[in-house]
Amino acid sequence: MKRPDKMVEVYKTDIENTALAKKIVTEIRQFLPDSKPSFDLEDCDNVLRIEHTYEAIMEQDIREILNKYGHSMEILP
């Protein structure tokens, strides 16, 4: 059986706090257990990167997680 292809979504965020980034990563992992989310807060775009299987992610759900903490994101091409 063929395994699903891996995809990577990359988002620009306004997250600057390491503790909050860790909390959001934990929440994304709970919501999408097969995903591998991470933040790069050293990048000027405070990048949120999520590796996942193609069908495993919905952008709106990730946006809602960030919105819950008063933050936003946008897709990076």
Side-chain angles (χ1 to χ4, degrees):
M1 183 163 96
K2 186 180 178 219
R3 295 180 61 175
D5 293 334
K6 291 284 184 181
M7 297 290 294
V8 176
E9 299 285 339
V10 182
Y11 303 100
K12 175 181 178 176
T13 75
D14 59 353
I15 305 292
E16 296 178 349
N17 179 292
T18 302
L20 179 57
K22 288 179 182 181
K23 185 181 276 192
I24 290 171
V25 163
T26 299
E27 190 161 338
I28 293 170
R29 284 185 182 141
Q30 289 172 347
F31 180 71
L32 300 167
D34 294 332
S35 70
K36 294 180 184 174
S38 62
F39 275 94
D40 180 358
L41 300 182
E42 299 295 320
D43 186 278
C44 65
D45 290 325
N46 298 321
V47 170
L48 167 59
R49 180 180 184 274
I50 305 174
E51 183 179 326
H52 60 92
T53 57
Y54 183 71
E55 291 115 2
I57 194 169
M58 295 189 171
E59 176 190 342
Q60 185 58 34
D61 295 321
I62 303 304
R63 186 176 310 280
E64 287 176 14
I65 291 171
L66 269 69
N67 287 344
K68 181 169 79 173
Y69 293 100
H71 291 278
S72 62
M73 64 176 215
E74 61 185 73
I75 295 176
L76 285 174

